[in-house]
């Protein structure tokens, strides 16, 4: 182990999936229980729905109207299509390789379903939903919706047999299209064959790697399929070895070292702000979807 390597601090490999609504069968890879947020900040929560076949249906599969405040929900579609609509006027459909970056901030309600087309057709579905915290100063900024297509993201081949797609932040000067409030680099990294790949992140930043498919060795630790590695903030270098093929999601961000109180769909800094969020939602201040129905 070299002195500057980032050390794997935790490996998490949940065994139990649960349903989010009736469309998303997910492993919660991490959430802010205990002191977990200290290791994952600015990322609050990750749900991973591994590949699953859905037969054709006329039903709407997913989650109906519900609120969020104080953070961003980021949805990556790896297979299948997700349709979204929110009370701030944002909405759209994302398909394979696309990402939807929704800033809830001051508060909104939204719904998340398999797209009607995809549900009718049926097929394999795989996605990740990540909750990204906002610093205290930005929690009451106005909501924003970014629907980003795969083709808008730089796709690089840093070494033979390895591809790297930049969703946000940058890699070797290639900038991802998703705009963020704090510095965040998110990459889709794929090995097509036996290969080694090395990259660096800034010292003091959070790094989390999800092995969506395949097995890798990262800084001397074996990371299995459907497992995440959470790294120590110290260090910069990351060495990934793959014997065969693998698909990884790489999350790197500057920590937001502020206290958080997370309750249901709200992520705030104090208990009082959570109470305000509940009251504001109940009073209809986060809007409704009826107003935005065409
Ligand atoms: Mn939601």
């Amino acid at each position: 182990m070299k002195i500057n390597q980032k050390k794997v601090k935790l490996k998490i490999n949940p065994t139990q999936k649960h349903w989010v609504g009736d469309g998303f069968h997910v492993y919660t890879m991490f959430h802010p229980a205990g002191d977990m947020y200290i290791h994952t900040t600015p990322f609050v929560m990750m749900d991973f729905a591994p590949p699953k076949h859905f037969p054709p249906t006329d039903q709407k599969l997913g989650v109906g109207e519900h609120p969020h405040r104080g953070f961003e929900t980021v949805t990556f579609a790896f297979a299948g299509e997700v349709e979204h609509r929110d009370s701030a006027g944002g909405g759209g459909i994302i398909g394979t390789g696309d990402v939807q970056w929704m800033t809830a901030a001051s508060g909104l309600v939204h719904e998340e379903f398999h797209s009607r087309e995809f549900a009718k057709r049926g097929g394999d579905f795989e996605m990740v939903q990540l909750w990204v915290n906002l610093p205290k100063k930005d929690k009451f900024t106005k909501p924003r919706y970014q629907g980003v297509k795969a083709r808008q993201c730089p796709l690089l081949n840093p070494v033979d047999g390895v591809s790297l797609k930049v969703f946000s932040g940058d890699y070797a000067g290639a900038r991802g299209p998703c705009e963020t409030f704090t510095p965040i680099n998110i990459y889709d990294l794929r090995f097509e064959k036996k290969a080694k790949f090395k990259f660096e992140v800034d010292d003091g930043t959070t790094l989390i790697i999800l092995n969506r498919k395949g097995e890798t060795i990262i800084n001397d630790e074996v990371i299995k399929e459907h497992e995440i590695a959470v790294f120590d903030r110290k260090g910069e270098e990351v060495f990934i070895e793959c014997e065969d093929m693998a698909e990884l999601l790489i999350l790197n961000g500057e920590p937001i070292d502020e206290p958080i109180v997370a309750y249901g769909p709200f992520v705030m800094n104090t208990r009082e702000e959570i109470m305000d969020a509940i009251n504001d939602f109940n009073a209809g201040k986060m809007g409704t979807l009826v107003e935005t129905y065409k």
Side-chain angles (χ1 to χ4, degrees):
M1 184 101 184
K2 288 184 193 158
I3 200 83
N4 207 25
Q5 270 188 27
K6 262 181 124 63
K7 193 170 181 277
V8 175
K9 196 162 195 171
L10 299 165
K11 290 195 272 187
I12 305 171
N13 192 354
T15 53
Q16 288 282 10
K17 280 193 279 187
H18 63 96
W19 283 95
V20 177
D22 56 7
F24 310 106
H25 203 197
V26 304
Y27 292 113
T28 295
M29 305 305 292
F30 62 85
H31 64 101
D35 65 354
M36 195 62 193
Y37 179 71
I38 292 167
H39 305 297
T40 65
T41 172
F43 310 108
V44 176
M45 195 278 303
M46 180 197 276
D47 272 348
F48 169 43
K52 184 183 186 72
H53 185 80
F54 284 84
T57 179
D58 288 326
Q59 279 180 293
K60 259 182 122 180
L61 300 177
V63 200
E65 188 169 327
H66 62 279
H68 290 296
R69 173 182 278 178
F71 66 104
E72 303 180 289
T73 66
V74 181
T75 308
F76 304 89
F78 292 103
E81 292 178 355
V82 181
E83 188 166 351
H84 160 96
R85 220 155 43 87
D86 67 57
S87 58
I93 296 172
I94 56 162
T96 300
D98 304 340
V99 59
Q100 169 201 291
W101 199 295
M102 189 199 74
T103 307
S106 62
L108 47 62
V109 300
H110 76 158
E111 60 177 24
E112 301 160 271
F113 288 103
H114 294 197
S115 75
R116 257 163 268 201
E117 287 280 299
F118 174 77
K120 257 183 211 154
R121 198 165 68 227
D124 289 334
F125 188 87
E126 181 187 0
M127 63 120 226
V128 166
Q129 185 168 93
L130 184 69
W131 288 13
V132 175
N133 202 10
L134 290 171
K136 188 175 175 61
K137 68 175 178 57
D138 294 318
K139 280 191 183 290
F140 284 92
T141 193
K142 69 174 198 306
R144 175 171 75 179
Y145 178 84
Q146 302 175 69
V148 172
K149 297 284 183 200
R151 64 171 184 275
Q152 296 171 256
C153 303
L155 182 61
L156 310 162
N157 276 103
V159 298
D160 185 37
V162 175
S163 71
L164 186 150
K165 187 167 86 167
V166 187
F167 286 117
S168 78
D170 79 284
Y171 175 83
R175 282 206 70 78
C178 299
E179 287 180 37
T180 64
F181 283 78
T182 56
I184 292 173
N185 302 300
I186 302 184
Y187 313 136
D188 181 325
L189 182 72
R190 299 184 185 205
F191 291 79
E192 289 153 24
K193 59 182 186 185
K194 182 180 167 78
K196 289 180 187 178
F197 173 62
K198 179 185 139 182
F199 70 106
E200 287 185 9
V201 297
D202 287 345
D203 185 35
T205 59
T206 294
L207 176 68
I208 300 171
I209 299 181
L210 166 67
N211 263 24
R212 289 176 34 240
K213 283 194 174 79
E215 188 173 291
T216 53
I217 299 171
I218 310 181
N219 288 357
D220 305 324
E221 293 276 348
V222 175
I223 311 298
K224 297 196 180 89
E225 186 167 79
H226 299 178
E227 187 165 46
I228 57 167
V230 180
F231 293 78
D232 198 285
R233 285 188 194 181
K234 279 204 307 275
E236 297 168 342
E237 292 178 342
V238 185
F239 294 90
I240 307 181
E241 295 170 62
C242 179
E243 281 301 313
D244 181 5
M245 67 77 64
E247 298 184 6
L248 297 83
L249 183 64
I250 302 203
L251 312 174
N252 171 235
E254 192 175 286
I256 302 172
D257 286 323
E258 296 171 346
I260 66 162
V261 180
Y263 182 82
F266 308 123
V267 181
M268 304 303 293
N269 301 111
T270 67
R271 230 185 99 78
E272 289 67 32
E273 288 168 341
I274 292 290
M275 295 311 291
D276 291 346
I278 294 168
N279 291 333
D280 286 352
F281 168 61
N282 287 336
K285 289 183 184 168
M286 296 186 189
T288 64
L289 288 180
V290 177
E291 297 157 16
T292 63
Y293 255 117
K294 282 181 227 144

